[in-house]
């Protein structure tokens, strides 16, 4: 799930690099009202887009235990939403927001974070706590001036199965790959290997398998 100020066409070189350097299939998701997609851009519609993309991946024959959801910036919203409601193998959050309101304001006892918590769009902290089975890999630049570095830290700490994060020194909101390209792909590849190992452990644990069946 891409960021706000882009579309799947602009992201094509990145998606191609994912496929080439990681050896994966990429299902690019265009939000309603973005790029060549019809409809209206809205938070609710991104959730519908996420569900439709998941269903399409399954229709194409990809098992749930091989699906890794990747969300960048605002795209972390539909990514966390989906991982809280559908079985996935792993979650990657790239320069993510902890929540919509948190991305616009600071804390404090009278902060809108608390006053309007029930209306918070993309409340990723709450959604991430619902995901108990998929490892979560957070990537964030420590010089991010759009979405503070603290958001990445909060999400890493909220994850039930946190994977060692990648804090990119000197990187801002939109230049993580350019700042640390080799490390970025190396760490992503290591995370995907970890996800496969985690899924193998699940399938060989009868208690976990039984619990997963009950949840579905």
């Amino acid at each position: 799930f891409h960021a706000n100020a882009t579309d799947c066409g602009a992201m094509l070189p990145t998606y191609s690099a994912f496929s080439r350097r990681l050896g994966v299939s990429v299902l690019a998701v265009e939000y309603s009202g973005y790029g060549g997609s019809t409809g209206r851009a809205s938070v609710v519609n991104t959730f519908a887009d996420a569900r439709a993309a998941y269903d399409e991946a399954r229709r194409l024959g990809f098992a749930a235990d091989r699906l890794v959801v990747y969300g960048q910036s605002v795209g972390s919203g539909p990514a966390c939403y989906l991982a809280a409601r559908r079985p996935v193998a792993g979650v990657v959050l790239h320069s993510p927001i902890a929540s919509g309101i948190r991305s616009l304001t600071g804390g404090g006892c009278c902060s809108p974070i608390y006053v309007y918590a029930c209306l918070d769009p993309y409340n990723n902290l709450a959604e991430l706590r619902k995901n108990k089975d998929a490892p979560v890999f957070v990537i964030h630049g420590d010089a991010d001036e759009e979405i503070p570095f603290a958001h990445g830290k909060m999400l890493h700490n909220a994850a039930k199965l946190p994977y060692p994060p990648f804090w990119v020194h000197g990187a801002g909101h939109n230049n993580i790959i350019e700042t640390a390209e080799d490390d970025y792909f190396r760490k992503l590849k290591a995370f995907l290997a970890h996800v496969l190992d985690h899924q193998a452990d699940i399938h060989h644990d009868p208690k976990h398998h039984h619990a997963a069946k009950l949840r579905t």
Side-chain angles (χ1 to χ4, degrees):
F1 298 99
H2 62 68
N4 182 47
T6 188
D7 59 28
C8 285
M11 291 295 296
L12 184 58
T14 301
Y15 297 153
S16 296
F18 283 170
S19 180
R20 185 178 67 255
R21 298 187 64 166
L22 301 174
V24 297
S25 298
V26 178
L27 178 61
V29 182
E30 192 59 281
Y31 308 129
S32 298
Y34 277 68
S37 182
T38 58
R40 182 174 61 87
S42 71
V43 171
V44 172
N45 281 346
T46 63
F47 294 155
D49 298 333
R51 296 192 302 270
Y54 184 90
D55 292 344
E56 177 65 8
R58 296 303 310 276
R59 187 192 70 79
L60 290 171
F62 294 96
D65 63 4
R66 289 297 184 271
L67 296 180
V68 174
V69 181
Y70 190 114
Q72 180 175 358
S73 187
V74 169
S76 60
C80 289
Y81 168 88
L82 189 63
R85 290 164 178 79
R86 299 286 192 275
V88 297
V91 180
V92 180
L93 302 177
H94 176 151
S95 304
I97 59 174
S99 75
I101 291 178
R102 280 182 171 85
S103 68
L104 300 174
T105 185
C109 62
C110 296
S111 167
I113 293 170
Y114 304 104
V115 178
Y116 300 109
C118 63
L119 302 175
D120 192 353
Y122 296 140
N123 191 343
N124 292 341
L125 281 173
E127 297 288 24
L128 205 57
R129 294 185 181 109
K130 300 175 188 176
N131 166 38
K132 297 179 174 61
D133 296 324
V136 177
F137 180 31
V138 181
I139 304 169
H140 213 121
D142 65 5
D144 192 329
E145 296 182 353
E146 294 185 40
I147 304 298
F149 181 36
H151 283 237
K153 288 185 173 180
M154 282 189 282
L155 290 165
H156 172 71
N157 292 334
K160 301 294 183 181
L161 294 176
Y163 183 79
F166 182 25
W167 306 139
V168 187
H169 180 63
H173 191 64
N174 298 308
N175 66 342
I176 282 178
I177 299 178
E178 293 82 355
T179 301
E181 181 175 351
D182 289 340
D183 282 344
Y184 170 83
F185 281 106
R186 179 175 57 81
K187 289 178 181 290
L188 266 181
K189 196 164 190 175
F191 175 69
L192 295 178
H194 171 77
V195 164
L196 290 176
D197 289 343
H198 177 70
Q199 288 300 319
D201 290 342
I202 289 175
H203 291 313
H204 285 89
D205 184 346
K207 291 181 180 179
H208 195 294
H209 182 64
H210 179 65
K213 287 181 67 176
L214 290 178
R215 281 193 293 276
T216 58

